[in-house]
Amino acid sequence: MSAFDGRVDYGVIAGWVSEGSRVLDLGCGDGSLLRHLERTRGATGYGVEIDIERVIACMKNGINVLQIDLEKGLYDFVDQSFDLVIISNALQTLHRTEKLLTEMLRVGREAVVSFPNFAFWKHRMAIMDGHMPVSDRLPYQWYDTPNVRFFTIVDFESLCDKLGIRIHERLVLDDDGQPVKDEPNFLGSFALYRLGGTGG
Amino acid sequence: MTTEHAIPADSVGVVSPLCARFDSPLTLKSGAVLPAFELMYETYGELNAARSNAVLVCPALSGHHHAAGFYADAPKNLGWWDNLIGPGKPLDTRRFFVIAVNNLGGCHGSTGPITVNPETGKPWGADFPVVTVEDWVAAQSLLADRLGVGEWAAVMGGSLGGMQAMSWSIHCPSRVRHAIVIASAPKLTAQNIAFNEVARQAIITDPDFHGGHFYEHDTLPRRGLRLARMLGHITYQSDELMAEKFGRRLREGGRKFSFEVEFEVESYLRYQGDKFAGSFDANTYLLATRALDYFDPAGDAGGDLAAAFAPARADFLLVSFSTDWRFAPSRSREIVDALMRNRRNVSYAEIESSAGHDSFLLDDPHYHSVLRAYFDNITT
């Protein structure tokens, strides 16, 4: 996808993974994040992916991958069976957002969610200009995007509040992959969260 | 020198069946004892010096030891998994030493109903003891010992063959590094057992069956076997595939207002039934379907499939096919679930295919890419 994909985000997420964690990576793509976590954090676990080409790529990468449709939920997965459930840059491609977030924290002690911020100023400019935004973080035309949910940092935090999900940590990055401190919903193009359940 | 048929570069080429004889008694799960037995097998590729590259290919219901290549006197009779096994194929015989076996109770040379019972001097027929998946694994493990294979790089199989791979991982955990379970199930459903029972009844009620001792009457229950195979064939294919292959097409002549072969699908089923009835043993069919019915590792572990897999140490690959309704994807997911509960390394692919259960024998590009990628990461 974009030039940003990978390294910066992976480093942040790896920092949130304790040594030897059990990890479930939802929408794991070619498995490179999970592989990174295995190598740098000694993590073990599974990737979940719906697309067969990516499933094959995961197998080439030597990670455990399960070809499962996330729209059908995580019913196979046992309560609290993972230290961490990750959905990296994929939440916006799934319809059942609330169900999935709740399920992630049923299955995992903690969750990591990352997504592109639709309220990033360049995206706002595009709308002002009369077009749906196309950027490094949203590298699709409106007619071919895999994204089905369009939300912002503020929207996401409201939903967490509604669902009783605690935000343990947040990191917002700008277009260059640098951390954003002020006005994150305006200056940030990508957000990463470490989340816990009501109990945690 | 030119040959009539050029051998493709990715074929294992000319192969020969081998026979291993075991003279120690084998006690079966039923309690019956086989005083001695023989297993037919074939091998492809070379066992490496470390003896770490052996792969066991377990046969499905009508499978046997001829899994790849061809015999010098029958160049068109390719092994049943020839599209998978060979130099450069997903199961690459340049890296792996592959062994395929004809199980106990089979009808392709291993000790079974058509071989001679030493006690009577006549074919075993219906007296051949009922064998289970676990018995097959026990016999295969003796073959592994004989061939100097302490630990399999992988044990693989489709359908009933997948059950053998699972059984290996449970009963001989230290001997299996990878288990590849394709289009299989942790146990049959009632519907699945019901299909098997109809097939068995077709055979048993054929007047030519003679209680399983038809060899002595110099006949065979052709009609029963034919019906059993026709029924099986319907369940191994999908509605979608049959619609695609035959639809409602009529053979030449159209409707004759008779019960002759008029629809293409009738012609196909009769052909498949006849072919099978002429080449397969009825008693073996009964035994193999019973082995399917009985397979239930969870049942042996208090009903808990995860508990059944607790001894397993292998890494697993599960593959299912979208239109397989006899061994549906949900059945493979049950296995995946049980393996995750045991924190096993497991990967699972659900291949889009219109070909139903039989997909596991075909060479769908995604399916073969999955197997290739998985095998490529198995170290030898």
Side-chain angles (χ1 to χ4, degrees):
Chain A
M1 290 200 272
S2 79
F4 292 102
D5 256 12
R7 311 303 90 118
V8 178
D9 313 351
Y10 290 6
V12 173
I13 294 172
W16 289 344
V17 174
S18 317
E19 194 69 32
S21 286
R22 293 282 296 167
V23 173
L24 182 65
D25 183 8
L26 307 177
C28 66
D30 68 0
S32 47
L33 172 60
L34 196 51
R35 195 169 144 105
H36 180 75
L37 298 179
E38 282 178 5
R39 288 188 173 175
T40 58
R41 311 300 297 161
T44 57
Y46 309 94
V48 173
E49 182 52 62
I50 183 70
D51 180 78
I52 184 65
E53 299 289 355
R54 293 183 195 150
V55 167
I56 293 165
C58 285
M59 287 184 181
K60 286 182 180 163
N61 259 327
I63 67 143
N64 293 318
V65 60
L66 309 174
Q67 193 178 10
I68 290 175
D69 183 1
L70 288 172
E71 296 287 11
K72 291 178 181 159
L74 297 177
Y75 61 90
D76 274 358
F77 295 88
V78 180
D79 290 3
Q80 299 294 296
S81 53
F82 292 90
D83 297 311
L84 191 64
V85 181
I86 299 170
I87 186 158
S88 169
N89 203 15
L91 188 65
Q92 72 277 9
T93 67
L94 293 158
H95 284 99
R96 300 174 67 191
T97 316
E98 284 182 78
K99 169 85 175 161
L100 193 63
L101 286 172
T102 312
E103 282 280 276
M104 286 173 74
L105 285 163
R106 173 183 69 76
V107 167
R109 209 165 41 75
E110 288 191 343
V112 164
V113 175
S114 71
F115 57 86
N117 179 28
F118 283 78
F120 177 51
W121 68 270
K122 284 186 184 172
H123 301 157
R124 297 185 195 207
M125 291 280 285
I127 296 275
M128 290 288 284
D129 207 30
H131 292 287
M132 286 301 283
V134 177
S135 68
D136 287 338
R137 286 296 185 189
L138 296 174
Y140 303 100
Q141 295 294 334
W142 64 273
Y143 48 81
D144 69 3
T145 179
N147 299 331
V148 297
R149 291 280 181 258
F150 307 92
F151 54 97
T152 69
I153 287 172
V154 170
D155 293 333
F156 180 74
E157 292 181 7
S158 305
L159 180 61
C160 289
D161 188 46
K162 181 192 159 201
L163 296 175
I165 293 172
R166 288 193 191 179
I167 296 171
H168 293 320
E169 276 181 84
R170 181 185 79 181
L171 182 71
V172 177
L173 303 175
D174 69 13
D175 238 3
D176 297 319
Q178 296 303 311
V180 173
K181 291 228 167 65
D182 301 324
E183 299 287 348
N185 202 39
F186 186 73
L187 296 175
S189 68
F190 198 75
L192 299 99
Y193 289 84
R194 187 166 69 84
L195 307 170
T198 40
Chain B
M1 191 180 122
T2 55
T3 49
E4 200 176 331
H5 302 278
I7 301 172
D10 62 357
S11 168
V12 298
V14 175
V15 297
S16 304
L18 300 162
C19 179
R21 181 168 177 82
F22 300 89
D23 285 313
S24 323
L26 180 68
T27 303
L28 304 174
K29 202 173 179 182
S30 66
V33 178
L34 279 178
F37 65 95
E38 294 182 343
L39 287 182
M40 296 298 295
Y41 66 99
E42 288 181 11
T43 71
Y44 321 110
E46 300 290 332
L47 186 62
N48 63 11
R51 300 174 182 272
S52 61
N53 69 334
V55 174
L56 178 65
V57 171
C58 303
L61 184 64
S62 57
H64 42 69
H65 53 285
H66 184 39
F70 54 90
Y71 301 141
D73 59 356
K76 287 186 178 162
N77 179 18
L78 292 181
W80 56 272
W81 231 345
D82 188 74
N83 61 23
L84 183 75
I85 304 164
K89 287 181 181 171
L91 177 44
D92 192 337
T93 49
R94 294 172 303 191
R95 287 187 67 221
F96 293 103
F97 175 59
V98 180
I99 300 173
V101 65
N102 183 214
N103 278 323
L104 281 180
C107 55
H108 294 86
S110 293
T111 298
I114 63 171
T115 61
V116 172
N117 178 352
E119 276 186 29
T120 63
K122 292 192 290 188
W124 283 89
D127 297 334
F128 194 83
V130 168
V131 281
T132 62
V133 168
E134 291 79 10
D135 295 330
W136 287 341
V137 168
Q140 290 163 3
S141 71
L142 292 170
L143 180 63
D145 296 343
R146 179 73 56 87
L147 297 176
V149 175
E151 181 191 78
W152 299 103
V155 177
M156 80 179 302
S159 191
L160 179 54
M163 292 175 172
Q164 291 157 60
M166 283 185 266
S167 190
W168 262 100
S169 75
I170 291 167
H171 295 289
C172 309
S174 63
R175 301 188 74 171
V176 187
R177 293 213 310 276
H178 299 84
I180 301 175
V181 179
I182 303 165
S184 196
K187 63 183 174 215
L188 293 196
T189 58
Q191 186 194 48
N192 235 324
I193 295 170
F195 282 125
N196 284 346
E197 172 58 3
V198 175
R200 282 191 295 266
Q201 283 297 309
I203 290 168
I204 290 167
T205 59
D206 184 324
D208 286 331
F209 183 62
H210 297 288
H213 293 289
F214 49 90
Y215 319 97
E216 303 165 19
H217 295 81
D218 207 19
T219 182
L220 55 93
R222 193 177 286 275
R223 283 163 292 181
L225 258 177
R226 185 166 172 264
L227 280 176
R229 189 56 168 182
M230 286 166 84
L231 174 71
H233 244 283
I234 299 167
T235 69
Y236 304 149
Q237 304 203 351
S238 67
D239 193 14
E240 195 181 331
L241 182 74
M242 281 194 155
E244 208 175 280
K245 262 163 93 171
F246 313 109
R248 294 181 46 84
R249 272 197 312 284
L250 292 159
R251 301 182 76 205
E252 215 174 312
R255 292 188 192 184
K256 296 181 200 145
F257 298 92
S258 77
F259 300 108
E260 295 304 306
V261 178
E262 295 184 7
F263 289 93
E264 288 285 359
V265 68
E266 295 174 315
S267 164
Y268 169 80
L269 282 178
R270 288 188 193 198
Y271 170 76
Q272 290 294 341
D274 287 337
K275 195 172 81 170
F276 192 70
S279 64
F280 206 81
D281 177 66
N283 285 309
T284 290
Y285 202 84
L286 299 181
L287 290 169
T289 54
R290 205 38 134 191
L292 270 167
D293 295 352
Y294 280 167
F295 181 73
D296 181 9
D300 299 337
D304 181 351
L305 189 61
F309 275 112
R313 291 294 166 268
D315 292 352
F316 286 79
L317 172 64
L318 276 288
V319 181
S320 71
F321 299 93
S322 57
T323 56
D324 183 354
W325 55 281
R326 187 114 195 225
F327 291 81
S330 58
R331 309 308 312 282
S332 287
R333 287 281 295 275
E334 290 174 41
I335 301 165
V336 170
D337 180 43
L339 292 168
M340 280 198 300
R341 284 168 196 256
N342 282 295
R343 301 192 165 196
R344 302 305 331 143
N345 281 320
V346 51
S347 283
Y348 168 62
E350 189 177 315
I351 305 295
E352 284 292 330
S353 161
S354 67
H357 186 55
D358 273 347
S359 301
F360 85 88
L361 295 167
L362 306 179
D363 60 353
D364 175 272
H366 285 141
Y367 168 42
H368 272 199
S369 295
V370 163
L371 291 177
R372 185 183 293 277
Y374 197 77
F375 273 116
D376 283 353
N377 272 323
I378 294 178
T379 52
T380 57

